[in-house]
C-alpha cells in the first residue's frame, strides 16, 4: 500500500491508514512472533500480526487453544520493540474475549498497554459484533477474523475449508457484514471458497485480508514460518518463498561434522591464540 509519507523518517502505519487502504494498493501482512524476525520483516510489511498461531509454530501445541494472554503479550511486546514501520496487531487468545464485551475490553486493554500494539484481532462474526463495538467505542481498534476460525477447531472438527454450501456461505457473508457494521477496521478471511472471499471483498467497506481465500482480497497474510519453508508439509495455499528448513538442516549437519572432526573452532575463532605471522618472521 502507499505509505503517503516522506521517507525517511517513516512513522508506523496507523489503523486509519490501513482502513483507508481498501481503495489503494494491496495490504501486505505476515505473522511475526519474535524480535529478530520482526526487525527483518518490518520494512516489507504494512502489518505484523502476532498471531496465536504461535502456539503451534513456536510452542509446538496441536492447536491454538492452549495459548495464554501472557504468551501473546510477551511476544507482542517483542515484536513492537523490534519494529518501527508496520502496524502491529496482536491476537486475543481463546477464552480471553468470548465471555463478554467487558472481559474482552479488560484483556484487550492489557494487550494494548503492555505491548504497545495499536490493535487486537479476534475470531468471530455476528456473535462478536457487540464486543467489537464495545472495544472500538472505548478506543481499541479491532481486526475481525471470519471463515475458518482455528479457535473453533473443536466445533468444526479440525481445520476445514468453509463456505462450501449455500447456508455456510450466507452465514459467512453475514458475519463479514456484521463485523464491518460493528466497527472492525479490517477482517481476516481464512480458508474459504475463493468466490465467497471475492463476494465479501466487494460487499463490505473495510479491507479484507485473505489467507487461503482469494487474490481478490484487499491484502494477504501468511504465517511467516510457512512461507519461509520451515515445515516439511504446509497447506496448499502456502507459497514457499525460501527453504529455511533445508538451509538449517545443511548448516547443522556441517556444524556437527566440524565439531566432531575438530575443525571448529579454528584459532581465528578463539580468543588469545597467538597467530604465527610468517611475513614478520622473515623480516
Ligand atoms: O494466528 C494467526 O497467525 C492468524 C493468521 C494466520 C491469520 O490468525
Amino acid at each position: 500500500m502507499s505509505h503517503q509519507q516522506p521517507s525517511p523518517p517513516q512513522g508506523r502505519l496507523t489503523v486509519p491508514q490501513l482502513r483507508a487502504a481498501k481503495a489503494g494498493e494491496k495490504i501486505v501482512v505476515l505473522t511475526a512472533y519474535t524480535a529478530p524476525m520482526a526487525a527483518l520483516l518490518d520494512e516489507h510489511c504494512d502489518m505484523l500480526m502476532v498471531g496465536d498461531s504461535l502456539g503451534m509454530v513456536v510452542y509446538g501445541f496441536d492447536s491454538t487453544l492452549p495459548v495464554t494472554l501472557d504468551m501473546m503479550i510477551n511476544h507482542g511486546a517483542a515484536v513492537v520493540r523490534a519494529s518501527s514501520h508496520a502496524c502491529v496487531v496482536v491476537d486475543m487468545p481463546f477464552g480471553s474475549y468470548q465471555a463478554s464485551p467487558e472481559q474482552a475490553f479488560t484483556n484487550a486493554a492489557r494487550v494494548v498497554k503492555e505491548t504497545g500494539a495499536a490493535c487486537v484481532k479476534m475470531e468471530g462474526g455476528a456473535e462478536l459484533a457487540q464486543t467489537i463495538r464495545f472495544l472500538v467505542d472505548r478506543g481499541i481498534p479491532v481486526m475481525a477474523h471470519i471463515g475458518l476460525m482455528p479457535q473453533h477447531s473443536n466445533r468444526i472438527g479440525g481445520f476445514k475449508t468453509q463456505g462450501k454450501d449455500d447456508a455456510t456461505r450466507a452465514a459467512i457473508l453475514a458475519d463479514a457484514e456484521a463485523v464491518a457494521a460493528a466497527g472492525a477496521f479490517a477482517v481476516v478471511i481464512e480458508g474459504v471458497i475463493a468466490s465467497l472471499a471475492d463476494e465479501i471483498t466487494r460487499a463490505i467497506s473495510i479491507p479484507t485480508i485473505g489467507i487461503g481465500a482469494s487474490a481478490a482480497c484487499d491484502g494477504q497474510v501468511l504465517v511467516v514460518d510457512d512461507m519461509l519453508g520451515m515445515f516439511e508439509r504446509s497447506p496448499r495455499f502456502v507459497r514457499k518463498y525460501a527453504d529455511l528448513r533445508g538451509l538449517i538442516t545443511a548448516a547443522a549437519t556441517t556444524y556437527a561434522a566440524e565439531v566432531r572432526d575438530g575443525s571448529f573452532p579454528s584459532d581465528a575463532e578463539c580468543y588469545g591464540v597467538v597467530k604465527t605471522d610468517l611475513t614478520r618472521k622473515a623480516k
Side-chain angles (χ1 to χ4, degrees), residues 34-56:
T34 64
M37 187 61 82
L40 286 173
L41 302 178
D42 187 32
E43 66 175 302
H44 307 287
C45 293
D46 301 312
M47 294 192 85
L48 291 175
M49 181 180 290
V50 187
D52 64 351
S53 52
L54 65 77
M56 300 166 90

Side-chain angles (χ1 to χ4, degrees), residues 10-92:
Q10 254 182 346
R12 211 183 265 285
L13 285 167
T14 64
V15 165
Q17 284 173 315
L18 290 161
R19 166 76 182 73
K22 174 93 182 170
E25 285 176 30
K26 296 274 187 185
I27 300 170
V28 179
V29 189
L30 280 171
T31 66
Y33 316 111
T34 64
M37 187 61 82
L40 286 173
L41 302 178
D42 187 32
E43 66 175 302
H44 307 287
C45 293
D46 301 312
M47 294 192 85
L48 291 175
M49 181 180 290
V50 187
D52 64 351
S53 52
L54 65 77
M56 300 166 90
V57 174
V58 177
Y59 289 91
F61 297 134
D62 285 343
S63 76
T64 58
L65 301 179
V67 172
T68 65
L69 192 62
D70 284 338
M71 285 177 188
M72 295 310 302
I73 288 174
N74 288 336
H75 288 271
V79 168
V80 171
R81 276 195 295 274
S83 59
S84 57
H85 164 70
C87 179
V88 177
V89 60
V90 178
D91 252 346
M92 297 295 291

Side-chain angles (χ1 to χ4, degrees), residues 31 33 49 51-53 91 121 145 188 190 211 221 223:
T31 66
Y33 316 111
M49 181 180 290
D52 64 351
S53 52
D91 252 346
K121 177 166 82 59
H145 181 151
V188 168
E190 177 166 357
I211 174 163
V221 59
V223 167

Side-chain angles (χ1 to χ4, degrees), residues 7 45 82 84 86 100 115 120 134 149 187 197 206 210 226 253:
S7 57
C45 293
S84 57
S100 66
T115 66
V120 297
F134 193 86
M149 296 180 285
V187 58
I206 58 172
D226 279 339
T253 304

Side-chain angles (χ1 to χ4, degrees), residues 148 190-191 211-213 221-223 226 234-240:
L148 171 54
E190 177 166 357
I211 174 163
V221 59
L222 281 177
V223 167
D226 279 339
S234 319
R236 72 174 260 188
F237 62 77
V238 171
R239 186 177 296 174
K240 290 188 183 174

